[in-house]
Amino acid sequence: MGTLRTGAAGAASRISVSRTGRSASAPRTGLKAPSSVLPFLPLNEILLGDCIANLEKLPAESVDVVFADPPYNLQLEQALTRPDHSLVDAVDDDWDKFASFSDYDAFTRAWLSAVRRVMKKNATLWVIGSYHNIFRVGAALQDLDFWVLNDIVWRKANPMPNFRGRRFTNAHETMIWASKSAEAKNYTFHYEALKAANEDVQMRSDWFIPICTGEERLKDEAGRKVHPTQKPEALLARVLLSSSNPGDVVLDPFFGSGTTGAVAKKLGRNFIGLERDPVYAKAARARIDAAEPLSDVSIAAPPEKRAEARVPFLSLVEGGHVAAGETLVDERRRFKATVRADGTLALGAIIGSIHKIGALTQGLPACNGWTFWHVERQGKLVCIDEFRAKVRALSA
């Protein structure tokens, strides 16, 4: 067994499968954990056993983000075959089978309630599913007072075809991203970083990512898939990069092959994995042990523009960066406005802020005046946002 890891994921050296929930110094000999709440967070460990029972042992309000890949309840009634009559390796495991929709709904409400208890006030939850279950999960989420922030469509670049030719190809899965309640306003979301990574365009709610294949897919000694629904690391990386920070605690109540743990370790997050199948847990532990953390500079939380000090345009005038009476233009010199001594702009007889006048000149409802307006310096146009950055740096 490995040692209990309590620091950031990248700083620890060992992942262990905890079967008892005891402290790191205590021997772990049994398979049944005590019923009381653990006096510590089992960071970077895999707790073996029923997910709801293990969730009840975790301290309240102790995790920053949850990624849940619950059973989909696919309701497969018979084996699937390809046109050449070969058998499709479909999900027909016992953990995905429920006697009825009501049984599945009861299970969903139970694990969601248990997850909600351990989420911090501003924590968020991601749940992934298919058309078989995601609508039922969404209804349960709202019934339990979670607040839906987005639904994300994961478009699979290489989906499995519909072999019977009786339906559309299932080329996507849906993720629901939700906060603990409508009152949770300060949840983590790295909007600017996602936009910068997307060629300065807002990240959309449809993600085009291939399914897990090749060397990333875990195989056993016989070459068979270890887990039938292993998720790609690229999907989890985008989830964690968008909604968590280095050092955060990421909970996965259906740990499976350990994708969440492997990505968390690489990105400097801590994880807690819950898994009832010892075969999956063993494979996940080996996979995470082999994962290499990225450097600190590669995973540092991006600065949030909203957290930066506010700089009024008047400060640029007062600091001599832009002169009263000077003309501002857009980068194509189509529009122009005059700088006033009080830090407003004049567009003919209309007086307003750099944002209001920028919007009016274009006939738009809104405009970021900092990036729209430019001033000429030595024959070249300079964006006024460059001056704002200088003022902000001096006041830091």
Side-chain angles (χ1 to χ4, degrees), residues 126 134-135 148-154 174-177 204-206:
W126 297 78
I134 198 63
F135 304 109
V148 176
L149 300 170
N150 275 114
D151 66 322
I152 306 294
V153 175
W154 168 32
T174 300
M175 290 189 293
I176 298 175
W177 183 40
R204 290 162 50 109
S205 62
D206 54 335

Side-chain angles (χ1 to χ4, degrees), residues 231-255:
K231 296 301 184 289
E233 291 193 6
L235 184 71
L236 267 295
R238 191 176 295 187
V239 165
L240 296 188
L241 288 170
S242 66
S243 58
S244 70
N245 295 306
D248 277 358
V249 178
V250 183
L251 169 69
D252 187 335
F254 307 98
F255 203 58

Side-chain angles (χ1 to χ4, degrees), residues 312-394:
F313 181 65
L314 178 60
S315 295
L316 272 60
V317 178
E318 294 172 338
H321 299 283
V322 180
E326 197 166 11
T327 299
L328 299 186
V329 297
D330 69 294
E331 62 180 346
R332 295 173 60 183
R333 300 180 186 271
R334 298 169 299 170
F335 310 108
K336 61 182 181 179
T338 303
V339 178
R340 288 167 41 90
D342 60 2
T344 58
L345 299 187
L347 181 65
I350 303 174
I351 307 298
S353 69
I354 57 173
H355 311 296
K356 177 181 177 180
I357 298 301
L360 286 173
T361 58
Q362 303 172 84
L364 298 176
C367 169
N368 182 348
W370 290 111
T371 57
F372 179 73
W373 291 114
H374 296 66
V375 64
E376 188 168 328
R377 293 288 183 269
Q378 298 179 344
K380 295 182 179 180
L381 290 182
V382 178
C383 181
I384 63 171
D385 202 30
E386 293 187 22
F387 302 130
R388 178 173 67 158
K390 292 179 179 180
V391 172
R392 184 173 280 150
L394 289 173

